[in-house]
Amino acid sequence: METLNNIPETYLMPNGLEIDLDEGFVKLTERQFGGNPGRAFSELIQNAIDSYPIGTSWEERMGEISTGPDWISIKDYGEGMSTDRLRLLITLGGSDKFNDPDKIGQFGMGFMSMFNRKLGTKEIVVRTRCEGQTVQLTFRVKEQGKRPEISLCILQERIPFSTMIKVQFEDSFSVYDCLVSAHKSLTYYPCKMKLNGALFISCWEKPGQRDVKMYAENGCRGLIRNGKELDNITILCKYERVMKTSLNHFLTGGHNAHYDLEDFYNNKTPYIPEIEMILNTDKLHVTISRDSYYLDWAYYEVRSILIKHLKSYLLREIINGVSGELIIANQFIFRNEIETYLANPASIISNPSDENKLIEKLATIQVFRINGRIGKYSLKELKKMKRDNFPFYFSSEKTNLRWLGGSFKHDYIVIPEMCRINGGAAHFFESLFSTIFNDIVNLDTIRGNLKKIMELVEREIISKESLSPKTKIVGIRNLNPQEKNLLKEIDLLLSDPAIMNVIEKNLHMKVKCIETAFFTVEETGCRISSGLFDQNGKPLNEKFISNFLQKTDENENRELKVSRNTKILLGLNLKHPFIQYLLSVHVARRNFYGLTYLAHELALCQKMLVPYSPFYHVVKQKLAQDMRKALIRNLLAQINN
């Protein structure tokens, strides 16, 4: 065996990186595992596992960890070390594992991390088989934070193991830190490792795991079991723990994440609450710190394998019985696949994989209620029950089930339960039902969706008249003296020819007279203060004006002229707070204040009275401005007189 006389000061790695031992020693030992120095012992566990020849199965690899009051040791039964490996061991950054797919470590920095000052390492003794001899390397720390003194000797004794590393500390606390880290690491390694004489049982071998799903596919091994932690997936590379995170984060890689069910929809991944996953792959490319990984082809490959087995796990859970909310959450996620199945069931039935069985189950399981009917219905049944020319109606908030008094054409109204699992998703039921049924109406939001309302009118699903709130003119006999007096005061102003002219000009019609009247509104929640009505008490719309217009001769630029005069009513909502206020005050010229306010409100109120009609565009701000000017002139004339 070649004698190791000179310990190299620098080492040129195969990738061209030259490492200076003096400069790099403190930085490495202080920073690599600065927050958890005990993790350095996990590096020795990796080295022990890596000591076996290529092709040795994980289950055949063995080791022993022993502890004392102030020391810890680890043995392996692998190949030992050659002279070159001994040189690499004492060289910062020295490694022959670089890009070796069968080895856990790669960067040659694990052993030296045992000299972290926070561990208080006093001495490390390495005994190993080296080219037919037993070699002992001793690393003595003279001053914490400085390079240790290294000595080498050849032992005459034969050792019954391949390599043993024994670390002595200044106190027992470091032994405890190393044991904690060892427990975390050994949890995931499927090797036969003894800890103080007792065989450590890994997560892959724990007895009594009845509900655990285990799988192995294309270099990937994993398990899915019950669990309640938010960070519910542990990522391993060659059984070394890389990261523990949430499934949301793993699926998105932390990019463009919504952290709700949208993440699962975008990645076609089932949502399953209260599970824990452990996922190992030999191909994952980890960062130099080995606490993260690259989002490359290896990541996407292992992710697709996990998703496949999550679908199988969810199918089993559904068969055993789950909540309706969980079913609906996964219907949202797989809505495109369900739509494909409903369009062509034979395509899925002919290929009875777990993935296809899951889609069929989600499409046929009964979870939805219909307003006024007993029982529950599946998406498949709802699709079959709906006529092609009618929209699919739903109301999750159940606040508008009697929209328009129920006078809209429909087969049924679905009242789905709200889905709050994992934060739900924006526009949850709109996304689900529009994919499955295409033509949908959300009764909870339809009142503010004028475009959809006009579409329903054009399709004759609803009538224009049904959109107007129910109003009723209050007869003069039903009014008290105060109410009659207010009407007389406003009528007096409306008889002013200047005000009449303003109204005629803005409404494009000849007005015989304008009278005021009180009306009531049956609809709750309507804040309508005023409106224009015909003499029969119906709100004015574009049809009313067209009845009084006729085309003129082409020589008159095709303008519209009024053919005859008409009588209209200016309605005042008797229950409106402002009208009630006018009735309660007794001040001079309250009619001026009242009419000024009502002119300002008229356009908005008319839109609420006839939401389907463009007539409210006629009653716009111009009318309010011109009427205010006319009122001011009238008021000034009274003052001057």
Side-chain angles (χ1 to χ4, degrees):
M1 184 190 81
E2 180 184 348
T3 305
L4 297 176
N5 294 321
N6 298 315
I7 305 302
E9 299 295 324
T10 63
Y11 178 73
L12 184 64
M13 296 179 66
N15 60 4
L17 175 65
E18 186 176 51
I19 299 177
D20 184 282
L21 190 57
D22 284 320
E23 292 293 328
F25 184 80
V26 175
K27 293 181 180 179
L28 171 71
T29 58
E30 293 293 317
R31 297 181 184 179
Q32 187 175 9
F33 306 120
N36 182 17
R39 185 180 163 189
F41 188 73
S42 295
E43 302 292 307
L44 301 189
I45 296 175
Q46 293 171 11
N47 290 342
I49 295 171
D50 279 341
S51 69
Y52 285 83
I54 295 175
T56 305
S57 68
W58 290 94
E59 290 74 16
E60 293 178 292
R61 305 183 189 202
M62 299 182 295
E64 296 178 24
I65 298 173
S66 302
T67 61
D70 59 356
W71 60 269
I72 188 168
S73 69
I74 182 169
K75 298 176 184 176
D76 67 66
Y77 298 87
E79 292 183 303
M81 298 188 193
S82 64
T83 302
D84 289 338
R85 284 188 178 177
L86 285 175
R87 287 185 180 276
L88 293 173
L89 178 68
I90 61 177
T91 304
L92 188 64
S95 175
D96 60 354
K97 305 176 187 178
F98 190 71
N99 280 339
D100 188 337
D102 294 310
K103 303 296 183 182
I104 303 172
Q106 288 191 22
F107 306 109
M109 298 181 180
F111 177 77
M112 288 297 180
S113 61
M114 287 300 299
F115 293 99
N116 190 322
R117 282 188 295 184
K118 293 181 180 180
L119 284 174
T121 302
K122 293 171 60 178
E123 182 181 86
I124 298 179
V125 176
V126 180
R127 289 185 181 181
T128 185
R129 295 176 187 168
C130 180
E131 300 173 1
Q133 300 185 64
T134 302
V135 175
Q136 177 172 300
L137 277 172
T138 304
F139 300 77
R140 290 188 179 88
V141 178
K142 295 296 185 180
E143 181 181 350
Q144 293 294 336
K146 299 294 184 179
R147 291 170 53 193
E149 291 183 356
I150 306 174
S151 61
L152 178 147
C153 65
I154 307 298
L155 303 179
Q156 299 303 315
E157 63 181 284
R158 294 284 183 178
I159 53 177
F161 47 82
S162 170
T163 300
M164 182 188 74
I165 300 176
K166 183 177 181 179
V167 186
Q168 189 166 5
F169 304 105
E170 293 178 348
D171 54 54
S172 60
F173 295 108
S174 295
V175 177
Y176 173 78
D177 288 342
C178 291
L179 279 176
V180 170
S181 182
H183 273 87
K184 290 181 179 179
S185 296
L186 295 177
T187 296
Y188 305 112
Y189 288 119
C191 308
K192 291 181 172 59
M193 188 71 72
K194 290 184 178 180
L195 185 56
N196 286 326
L199 185 64
F200 192 92
I201 305 300
S202 73
C203 64
W204 312 102
E205 303 169 298
K206 284 186 178 179
Q209 299 188 103
R210 296 180 181 177
D211 296 329
V212 175
K213 175 179 174 57
M214 292 192 178
Y215 58 90
E217 180 179 340
N218 196 22
C220 174
R221 183 178 182 182
L223 64 80
I224 307 170
R225 63 189 179 193
N226 293 333
K228 294 188 177 182
E229 293 187 35
L230 181 62
D231 290 338
N232 58 349
I233 180 168
T234 303
I235 312 300
L236 313 176
C237 180
K238 300 171 187 174
Y239 296 101
E240 177 194 6
R241 184 181 184 274
V242 177
M243 176 188 292
K244 187 171 185 179
T245 186
S246 66
L247 184 56
N248 286 69
H249 187 273
F250 175 72
L251 293 174
T252 62
H255 299 293
N256 301 318
H258 296 83
Y259 293 101
D260 59 17
L261 291 178
E262 281 289 349
D263 293 334
F264 292 81
Y265 166 74
N266 292 333
N267 294 283
K268 303 304 175 189
T269 305
Y271 179 80
I272 310 169
E274 298 186 354
I275 60 168
E276 176 189 3
M277 293 151 284
I278 299 175
L279 180 63
N280 174 71
T281 176
D282 297 340
K283 302 176 182 179
L284 199 64
H285 297 125
V286 299
T287 60
I288 192 169
S289 60
R290 299 217 297 275
D291 58 2
S292 188
Y293 48 84
Y294 296 101
L295 303 181
D296 56 9
W297 64 268
Y299 157 75
Y300 287 106
E301 182 179 78
V302 70
R303 190 183 71 170
S304 66
I305 293 173
L306 171 65
I307 292 171
K308 172 184 174 182
H309 290 282
L310 281 172
K311 290 177 181 178
S312 297
Y313 189 90
L314 176 60
L315 176 63
R316 187 185 73 180
E317 292 294 292
I318 291 176
I319 293 173
N320 292 334
V322 296
S323 69
E325 187 178 13
L326 181 59
I327 295 294
I328 294 173
N330 282 283
Q331 287 175 336
F332 171 85
I333 294 168
F334 296 107
R335 57 186 184 268
N336 293 320
E337 291 79 1
I338 293 173
E339 192 275 334
T340 300
Y341 164 76
L342 293 176
N344 184 17
S347 62
I348 286 183
I349 296 174
S350 61
N351 181 19
S353 64
D354 280 356
E355 294 178 81
N356 285 339
K357 288 179 181 178
L358 173 64
I359 300 304
E360 182 181 14
K361 198 72 175 176
L362 292 174
T364 57
I365 194 166
Q366 296 172 322
V367 290
F368 294 104
R369 294 189 181 277
I370 291 178
N371 185 44
R373 300 190 192 181
I374 299 174
K376 295 182 179 180
Y377 300 82
S378 68
L379 288 172
K380 185 176 182 179
E381 290 170 330
L382 293 174
K383 183 93 170 177
K384 186 177 181 180
M385 292 162 56
K386 190 186 82 69
R387 282 176 281 184
D388 291 338
N389 56 329
F390 284 6
F392 174 88
Y393 295 87
F394 69 96
S395 174
S396 58
E397 297 177 6
K398 308 178 186 68
T399 57
N400 195 27
L401 296 174
R402 294 290 297 168
W403 179 51
L404 306 180
S407 59
F408 55 94
K409 297 177 182 178
H410 62 284
D411 293 308
Y412 51 79
I413 302 172
V414 171
I415 46 175
E417 296 297 328
M418 296 293 291
C419 181
R420 298 181 176 87
I421 286 180
N422 199 51
H427 310 294
F428 183 92
F429 286 114
E430 285 88 344
S431 300
L432 170 59
F433 293 140
S434 64
T435 302
I436 304 298
F437 302 99
N438 189 32
D439 182 13
I440 67 168
V441 172
N442 183 354
L443 291 175
D444 298 328
T445 60
I446 187 62
R447 285 176 173 169
N449 191 345
L450 183 59
K451 181 179 179 181
K452 187 66 178 181
I453 290 174
M454 296 311 299
E455 176 199 321
L456 296 176
V457 170
E458 291 174 3
R459 293 167 55 187
E460 298 183 351
I461 300 295
I462 59 176
S463 64
K464 287 184 177 181
E465 290 72 18
S466 65
L467 295 170
S468 297
K470 301 297 184 293
T471 58
K472 183 179 180 181
I473 300 295
V474 181
I476 194 70
R477 295 180 180 179
N478 297 320
L479 301 179
N480 60 40
Q482 290 179 329
E483 294 165 346
K484 292 178 181 178
N485 288 336
L486 179 61
L487 293 183
K488 288 179 181 179
E489 292 175 20
I490 296 178
D491 282 342
L492 182 63
L493 279 179
L494 292 176
S495 63
D496 182 347
I499 294 177
M500 287 281 290
N501 182 59
V502 166
I503 295 174
E504 287 182 339
K505 180 180 177 182
N506 281 276
L507 297 186
H508 305 285
M509 66 169 65
K510 285 291 183 181
V511 179
K512 181 179 180 181
C513 67
I514 301 178
E515 295 180 358
T516 51
F518 287 115
F519 70 93
T520 57
V521 183
E522 293 183 13
E523 297 285 333
T524 59
C526 291
R527 305 291 289 182
I528 302 174
S529 61
S530 59
L532 294 175
F533 298 80
D534 64 17
Q535 57 189 359
N536 296 318
K538 294 183 179 180
L540 299 190
N541 56 33
E542 79 283 0
K543 289 184 178 179
F544 177 83
I545 294 181
S546 66
N547 290 335
F548 294 89
L549 301 179
Q550 63 181 12
K551 285 190 176 182
T552 63
D553 188 83
E554 291 185 0
N555 295 330
E556 299 182 37
N557 297 322
R558 297 185 179 181
E559 292 180 351
L560 295 176
K561 283 190 175 180
V562 177
S563 60
R564 59 189 177 88
N565 295 350
T566 183
K567 174 183 175 181
I568 61 175
L569 299 177
L570 173 62
L572 310 179
N573 185 356
L574 191 56
K575 301 298 182 181
H576 192 274
F578 180 73
I579 304 301
Q580 289 293 310
Y581 173 75
L582 286 178
L583 290 170
S584 66
V585 297
H586 301 282
V587 295
R589 300 186 178 89
R590 64 175 177 174
N591 53 347
F592 282 90
Y593 307 136
L595 199 55
T596 301
Y597 173 81
L598 295 175
H600 177 74
E601 288 280 293
L602 197 55
L604 178 61
C605 292
Q606 202 68 24
K607 180 179 179 180
M608 296 172 68
L609 286 170
V610 282
Y612 59 86
S613 172
F615 175 72
Y616 75 92
H617 287 292
V618 176
V619 192
K620 280 204 170 180
Q621 196 67 22
K622 188 70 166 57
L623 172 62
Q625 292 174 354
D626 292 347
M627 188 175 289
R628 281 197 294 269
K629 292 178 182 178
L631 287 169
I632 291 172
R633 286 194 294 269
N634 185 295
L635 180 60
L636 290 174
Q638 291 188 30
I639 293 174
N640 292 331
N641 292 333

